[in-house]
Amino acid sequence: MCGIVGFIGTEQAAPILLDGLQRLEYRGYDSAGIAVLSGERELQVKKSKGRLKVLSDIINGGKSVEGTIGIGHTRWATHGEPNDINAHPHLSGNGKIAVVHNGIIENYVELRDFLRSKGYEFRSETDTEVVTQLIAYYYEECGSCLEAVFRVLRRIEGAYALGILCADEPEHFIAARKDAPLLIGYGEGCNFIASDVTAIIKHTRDVSYMEDGEVAVVSKDGVEFYNSLEQPITKEHHTIDWDVSAAEKGGYAHFMLKEIMEQPEAIRKTAFSRIKDNRVFFEDLKIDADYISSINKIYIVACGSSYHVGVVGKYNLERMLRKPVEVCLASEFRYCDPLVDPRSLVIVISQSGETLDTMAALREAKALGAHILSIVNVVGSSIARESDDVLYTWAGPEIAVATTKAYSTQLVLLNMLGLYFGDILGTVSQEEYACIMNELLRLPAKMEQMLENTEDIKHFASNYFNHDSVFFIGRNLDYAMGLEGSLKLKEISYIHSEAYASGELKHGTISLIEDGTLVVALGTYSALFDKAMSNVVEVQARGADVLAVTTESHAAEMRKTVGNVIAVPNTHTIFQPSLGVVPLQLFAYYVALLRGCDIDKPRNLAKSVTVE
Ligand code: M6R
């Protein structure tokens, strides 16, 4: 979704802003812009629809915009179509105030009416322009941008991360946050704001995360912070410990391919650092054995691929813990009056840690007294900070919109949590524990073995890339894995695709199978392999062209019926989806490549979904 970057220092701001915005491109956007304050106290606003390159070309890579203080934005349209006028920054009618904004101002219509009644006119259809003009209105009254911002924050409702420049105050800009991520980066003789650390990691690793209701006044030599009561506060500094190269392509054609290839290492980092003497060891977990025993129900709450991790988790956790596990879409959970109580453990899963629906579900569950344990990739993100317990996936920055390594590390971590709880509850025998641990330790190497040879998958992709509809079918863990395989394919290749629990086909969907329909049949779940075979035969009888994914031990059997078979190494049942999903990710990638799609930045999608 939208990205924000701001800079103040002694260097020319515009090239730094463009570079920061380029690093935020992966979040998804449809227009971009910057506002820079010149030495003559003139706010220069440059913005344009489309890719950042268009803007960069207009301003000669930023060189033609003078000034050492500025704010920039990539916009993912919510209010008003993507065009030059609706792009941020927005400039007040008197030219004094420029604003970039992530989030949605819910009462903007009422505020716009108020300003119109005072003679203000609006150029765009955005809620952000209303904030800009309201700051200008109060600024006219009080002559201080900070005071004007405080007054505006008292009036606006909704979510925001704001960067605000005032033409009369060239020594600083102002930042404010509520329900949308924003951080401060500290440089040498310069300072930054960013919605995502990726934008500024090249310049600094020293950051502070803004909390809801906080305001920052950012000057070149320091930053002043205020809390929601408008009182001065000091903020903790955090050090970002990953490298710039982790957010670069490193020779791969796309981030997605790089991130698929990084999965074995990401799993090693996530899992192996939590194993001591062949036991799972969660150093910082606050919940103890008594609490774990008292849990009456586990909820797993997430969106998209993280939700799909939860679907796998439901099968595996129920099996290991013999406790009920419900997996919920975060966007539904918050509105379904959930039956959560203090004996409920709510596991929240999110790569970005900023997904608004997931965040809202977390708050709902917390208010009902549940213990919140989150599995998050981005350190210091909002979800991580509001949870009672956090387990970080150490996947490193994930840039491609389509998640791969975050999904894989979430999956492994959730299984480890199940194993850890199962050990405490006595529902996983020591023999089973040892067997799972043994397979966990071998998982990255098995994945590496699969990633060494992708020729088969490229070949299948070239056979099928021009299909316009695909069904993924499977039972139990294969169904859960199919959900993710199907999402990967549709989001980056734009092929219509659906995942079905195979047993459900005959209740309606099988009517869609006709001559040549591609069915990706998943048969890695050993306990139901025979039933998976029956479903394969069923769809073949109706003309389906089947591509099967199964384990090495079942491949020969599958090949008796299906010509196109992908075999994945055998592992413990709970980890089978971790291996099975890899060819599905690669298949989606190569299909999208052959279709000429914008793989890392698929249309209409954003990496971090910070609106409802
Ligand atoms: O950051 P989150 O894990 O909370 O994001 C949730 C979904 O938006 C995300 O998993 C999305 O479905 C993926 N980008 C799909 O590949």
Side-chain angles (χ1 to χ4, degrees):
M1 301 245 126
C2 306
I4 288 180
V5 62
F7 169 80
I8 178 162
T10 48
E11 287 175 62
Q12 195 177 5
I16 294 173
L17 296 174
L18 285 178
D19 179 72
L21 292 179
Q22 191 223 320
R23 288 165 198 279
L24 294 180
E25 275 191 302
Y26 76 97
R27 294 170 67 101
Y29 70 106
D30 45 56
S31 55
I34 61 168
V36 175
L37 190 52
S38 73
E40 289 75 46
R41 299 194 170 193
E42 186 204 346
L43 278 171
Q44 312 155 84
V45 175
K46 309 285 175 190
K47 49 190 191 175
S48 112
K49 181 184 167 189
R51 290 287 182 224
L52 196 59
K53 169 112 185 32
V54 181
L55 174 68
S56 180
D57 286 349
I58 296 171
I59 56 176
N60 189 21
K63 291 193 198 84
S64 59
V65 183
E66 282 184 15
T68 57
I69 168 173
I71 50 178
H73 192 260
T74 44
R75 174 175 186 252
W76 191 85
T78 55
H79 292 64
E81 63 174 284
N83 62 27
D84 290 2
I85 295 173
N86 289 333
H88 300 206
H90 288 279
L91 191 62
S92 60
N94 63 4
K96 294 257 187 216
I97 305 289
V99 173
V100 291
H101 165 221
N102 289 357
I104 292 177
I105 304 301
E106 284 160 6
N107 59 338
Y108 81 104
V109 174
E110 166 203 327
L111 295 171
R112 192 178 55 199
D113 290 347
F114 163 77
L115 287 165
R116 278 190 176 138
S117 74
K118 303 280 177 195
Y120 282 73
E121 286 173 8
F122 292 86
R123 283 173 285 227
S124 76
E125 301 154 85
T126 65
D127 49 341
T128 306
E129 192 185 1
V130 176
V131 176
T132 314
Q133 299 277 43
L134 199 58
I135 296 173
Y137 169 77
Y138 285 123
Y139 180 69
E140 294 267 309
E141 264 187 16
C142 68
S144 150
C145 189
L146 179 62
E147 176 54 30
V149 169
F150 282 146
R151 291 186 192 183
V152 168
L153 299 188
R154 285 176 222 148
R155 288 198 70 173
I156 57 177
E157 288 162 19
Y160 50 80
L162 293 165
I164 302 147
L165 261 183
C166 174
D168 297 336
E169 299 183 4
E171 65 287 353
H172 58 230
F173 62 81
I174 294 176
R177 164 204 160 126
K178 182 174 163 279
D179 292 338
L182 198 61
L183 56 88
I184 306 289
Y186 304 96
E188 298 269 324
C190 62
N191 287 309
F192 302 83
I193 57 166
S195 51
D196 177 332
V197 73
T198 323
I200 56 168
I201 184 83
K202 185 175 157 188
H203 305 281
T204 180
R205 288 155 189 283
D206 182 12
V207 304
S208 291
Y209 299 104
M210 291 187 70
E211 302 288 342
D212 279 354
E214 288 180 355
V215 173
V217 180
V218 185
S219 42
K220 112 177 134 53
D221 299 314
V223 184
E224 289 165 14
F225 291 96
Y226 298 86
N227 64 15
S228 55
L229 301 172
E230 302 169 12
Q231 297 157 333
I233 50 165
T234 50
K235 296 278 298 176
E236 211 182 315
H237 285 227
H238 298 265
T239 306
I240 304 297
D241 61 3
W242 49 266
D243 217 87
V244 187
S245 63
E248 288 172 349
K249 279 193 209 147
Y252 285 95
H254 295 95
F255 279 110
M256 183 179 176
L257 186 59
K258 176 180 178 244
E259 288 160 4
I260 290 173
M261 296 299 172
E262 283 172 348
Q263 292 181 107
E265 202 43 40
I267 291 176
R268 279 193 188 96
K269 281 195 183 136
T270 303
F272 292 7
S273 58
R274 290 167 167 129
I275 299 173
K276 268 194 188 162
D277 301 328
N278 272 341
R279 314 293 297 179
V280 176
F281 170 74
F282 289 122
E283 199 171 11
D284 300 324
L285 217 53
K286 293 193 197 96
I287 44 179
D288 56 15
D290 284 346
Y291 175 78
I292 293 166
S293 307
S294 77
I295 296 169
N296 59 7
K297 186 163 178 182
I298 296 174
Y299 290 83
I300 304 177
V301 182
C303 300
S305 295
S306 298
Y307 167 80
H308 296 159
V309 169
V311 182
V312 176
K314 176 186 165 62
Y315 290 113
N316 284 345
L317 263 53
E318 283 191 341
R319 207 165 281 153
M320 285 191 271
L321 308 182
R322 308 314 299 156
K323 283 191 189 268
V325 178
E326 191 173 333
V327 52
C328 311
L329 290 164
S331 52
E332 291 292 318
F333 180 87
R334 60 187 294 200
Y335 297 119
C336 72
D337 202 1
L339 296 170
V340 168
D341 63 34
R343 289 180 63 204
S344 313
L345 173 67
V346 174
I347 302 176
V348 170
I349 307 178
S350 175
Q351 185 286 128
S352 62
E354 299 294 350
T355 304
L356 190 101
D357 287 323
T358 310
M359 185 71 204
L362 179 160
R363 287 180 176 164
E364 174 80 19
K366 207 170 176 180
L368 292 167
H371 187 92
I372 312 291
L373 188 161
S374 64
I375 294 182
V376 175
N377 194 40
V378 178
V379 175
S381 55
S382 306
I383 288 175
R385 282 180 290 134
E386 291 202 23
S387 300
D388 300 307
D389 268 307
V390 189
L391 293 176
Y392 283 111
T393 47
W394 299 117
E398 192 180 61
I399 307 294
V401 164
T403 181
T404 51
K405 62 176 180 172
Y407 171 91
S408 292
T409 50
Q410 290 166 349
L411 208 51
V412 165
L413 203 46
L414 192 57
N415 280 332
M416 288 176 75
L417 193 67
L419 191 58
Y420 179 78
F421 284 4
D423 188 29
I424 289 172
L425 295 170
T427 46
V428 173
S429 70
Q430 289 312 302
E431 199 187 353
E432 181 74 346
Y433 191 104
C435 174
I436 294 176
M437 186 54 73
N438 188 33
E439 280 306 319
L440 173 58
L441 293 169
R442 296 168 67 192
L443 193 65
K446 288 188 178 181
M447 212 179 240
E448 259 152 13
Q449 174 199 329
M450 295 168 68
L451 291 168
E452 267 160 27
N453 186 358
T454 57
E455 287 314 308
D456 268 12
I457 298 166
K458 282 184 199 156
H459 169 71
F460 294 135
S462 69
N463 279 356
Y464 296 120
F465 77 94
N466 54 7
H467 278 247
D468 53 15
S469 184
V470 181
F471 292 87
F472 286 73
I473 63 168
R475 289 170 183 261
N476 200 280
L477 289 173
D478 281 328
Y479 164 60
M481 186 170 89
L483 290 169
E484 179 59 8
S486 169
L487 180 63
K488 285 285 90 75
L489 185 69
K490 77 181 92 170
E491 69 177 326
I492 61 167
S493 74
Y494 315 144
I495 294 176
H496 168 253
S497 152
E498 287 184 48
Y500 260 83
S502 313
E504 273 297 292
L505 280 175
K506 58 187 175 295
H507 298 292
T509 309
I510 203 161
S511 65
L512 294 171
I513 307 291
E514 54 187 7
D515 257 357
T517 304
L518 175 58
V519 173
V520 179
L522 306 170
T524 72
Y525 182 57
S526 214
L528 293 177
F529 179 76
D530 291 345
K531 294 207 183 293
M533 284 306 303
S534 312
N535 294 122
V536 165
V537 174
E538 225 166 63
V539 293
Q540 277 181 333
R542 278 133 185 111
D545 194 348
V546 173
L547 170 63
V549 180
T550 187
T551 55
E552 283 165 355
S553 61
H554 286 300
E557 188 60 28
M558 183 67 89
R559 285 198 174 99
K560 289 182 191 161
T561 310
V562 179
N564 295 330
V565 176
I566 297 170
V568 302
N570 285 81
T571 181
H572 189 282
T573 306
I574 67 165
F575 295 124
Q576 206 64 67
S578 296
L579 297 181
V581 80
V582 173
L584 306 184
Q585 296 167 339
L586 286 165
F587 181 70
Y589 174 80
Y590 287 116
V591 165
L593 191 67
L594 288 163
R595 290 167 72 93
C597 298
D598 191 352
I599 293 181
D600 286 336
K601 297 188 280 286
R603 69 184 179 207
N604 304 339
L605 292 179
K607 182 67 182 165
S608 172
V609 184
T610 49
V611 294
E612 192 173 353

